[in-house]
Amino acid sequence: MNERSRKILIVLHQETSTPGRVGHVLVDNGFALDVRRPRFGDPLPETMDDHAGAVIFGGPMSANDPDEFIAREIDWTAVPLRERAPFLGICLGAQMLARQLGGTVAPCDQDSAEIGYYRIHPTEDGRRMIEWPERVYQWHREWFTLPSGATLLASGEDNKAQAFRSEATGFGIQFHPEVTTWMMNRWTVHAAHRLVLPGAQARKEHFEGRRLWDGDVKRWLHDFLDLWLASDRRAPSRLAAE
């Protein structure tokens, strides 16, 4: 990890968005959060010299949308990949990473959705890396294809990619380990119209699932973020402490 910086770049997509539990864990581990919202005009850094890692979070938009900020964020993911700095894409962020690497993003089959808690299946590579929760919290209507050269870490019950690794330092996950109880309340109220989509779970099931599965997701996230930050492969000359 770049010891000269204790900042993590946080990319969000709505005025009210927060990094949730991901932010809490990073702050608890001594990192400052540099929050940017390119959708509202915030710039993205030209280099990762001042950041220990970067996370692009989700949002209601699509990685296929023609908006300028979407294209800018997809292009920008090349910066941490090129510099071999830790990068994490969550949901929309994972789809942006997949597109940067040559993958595609498309609607779920038969216009269905995964909204609620669903089972995931780690691959052998995924199991060697970390212990995974049995079920994770999802909120998406699109999925991504595994980019060429990427390593599949986990898939869903429909065999679609749920987590992958690119090279040593780039990770994409389709699910939402960052969601807090407050966020779940907000999402299931403000986007209640999505809970009637084919495949989506009823609001009550979201909170029942959280009671059953959130402890495992929380443990996974702590372990995963440690592993993610340790993946930094920048040159030793840039790792010297101040």
Side-chain angles (χ1 to χ4, degrees), residues 16 20 28 32 56 64 70 78 84 91 100-101 108 124 130-131 136 147 153 155 162 166 187 191 198 216 218 239:
T16 57
D28 286 348
I56 295 183
N64 294 324
I70 295 287
R84 298 168 67 81
C91 197
Q100 167 65 232
L101 297 170
C108 295
E124 186 61 35
I130 197 171
E131 183 178 352
V136 292
L153 301 176
S155 61
Q162 283 285 340
S166 174
W187 291 11
D216 290 342
K218 184 176 182 179
L239 301 181

Side-chain angles (χ1 to χ4, degrees), residues 39-93:
R39 180 186 178 190
F40 302 106
D42 290 345
L44 292 169
E46 295 181 1
T47 175
M48 291 292 292
D49 282 352
D50 293 330
H51 295 87
V55 187
I56 295 183
F57 285 81
M61 56 288 297
S62 169
N64 294 324
D65 286 348
D67 302 80
E68 183 275 336
F69 78 92
I70 295 287
R72 180 154 50 104
E73 289 185 34
I74 292 172
D75 290 344
W76 182 83
T77 60
V79 172
L81 295 177
R82 181 175 63 246
E83 297 185 11
R84 298 168 67 81
F87 173 81
L88 171 61
I90 297 175
C91 197
L92 174 62

Side-chain angles (χ1 to χ4, degrees), residues 151-182:
T151 300
L152 182 66
L153 301 176
S155 61
E157 294 185 84
D158 56 4
N159 294 318
K160 299 291 195 302
Q162 283 285 340
F164 70 95
R165 183 174 191 168
S166 174
E167 301 296 338
T169 63
F171 292 83
I173 57 174
Q174 182 64 73
F175 51 95
H176 289 278
E178 81 278 18
V179 170
T180 63
T181 302
W182 179 88

Side-chain angles (χ1 to χ4, degrees), residues 1-238:
M1 185 183 67
N2 185 351
E3 294 296 336
R4 294 191 304 168
S5 174
R6 298 291 291 180
K7 288 193 300 184
I8 303 292
L9 182 68
I10 300 291
V11 178
L12 302 174
H13 296 105
Q14 298 190 90
E15 291 176 320
T16 57
S17 296
T18 79
R21 181 182 283 157
V22 168
H24 298 164
V25 174
L26 291 170
V27 169
D28 286 348
N29 281 280
F31 291 93
L33 307 182
D34 179 6
V35 177
R36 313 275 183 108
R37 291 178 170 85
R39 180 186 178 190
F40 302 106
D42 290 345
L44 292 169
E46 295 181 1
T47 175
M48 291 292 292
D49 282 352
D50 293 330
H51 295 87
V55 187
I56 295 183
F57 285 81
M61 56 288 297
S62 169
N64 294 324
D65 286 348
D67 302 80
E68 183 275 336
F69 78 92
I70 295 287
R72 180 154 50 104
E73 289 185 34
I74 292 172
D75 290 344
W76 182 83
T77 60
V79 172
L81 295 177
R82 181 175 63 246
E83 297 185 11
R84 298 168 67 81
F87 173 81
L88 171 61
I90 297 175
C91 197
L92 174 62
Q95 294 168 3
M96 289 178 167
L97 177 61
R99 285 204 57 192
Q100 167 65 232
L101 297 170
T104 60
V105 176
C108 295
D109 297 338
Q110 300 176 335
D111 200 31
S112 63
E114 281 191 317
I115 300 177
Y117 279 90
Y118 298 83
R119 191 181 303 273
I120 58 170
H121 304 281
T123 64
E124 186 61 35
D125 287 311
R127 284 191 291 270
R128 282 198 296 267
M129 189 186 81
I130 197 171
E131 183 178 352
W132 295 75
E134 183 177 335
R135 292 178 185 266
V136 292
Y137 193 61
Q138 308 272 13
W139 196 293
H140 66 98
R141 298 181 64 186
E142 293 187 316
W143 63 281
F144 56 83
T145 60
L146 184 70
S148 176
T151 300
L152 182 66
L153 301 176
S155 61
E157 294 185 84
D158 56 4
N159 294 318
K160 299 291 195 302
Q162 283 285 340
F164 70 95
R165 183 174 191 168
S166 174
E167 301 296 338
T169 63
F171 292 83
I173 57 174
Q174 182 64 73
F175 51 95
H176 289 278
E178 81 278 18
V179 170
T180 63
T181 302
W182 179 88
M183 292 169 69
M184 185 177 288
N185 269 303
R186 182 177 177 82
W187 291 11
T188 56
V189 170
H190 288 267
H193 59 284
R194 296 189 181 274
L195 303 183
V196 299
L197 292 169
Q201 296 173 5
R203 188 171 191 264
K204 179 181 178 181
E205 293 179 86
H206 291 228
F207 293 93
E208 290 176 348
R210 187 171 185 84
R211 178 178 58 82
L212 291 170
W213 308 110
D214 188 58
D216 290 342
V217 173
K218 184 176 182 179
R219 284 189 290 273
W220 176 88
L221 180 62
H222 279 79
D223 292 344
F224 174 79
L225 290 177
D226 285 345
L227 181 152
W228 173 66
L229 287 163
S231 73
D232 198 322
R233 293 295 183 272
R234 284 174 277 190
S237 62
R238 296 175 57 199

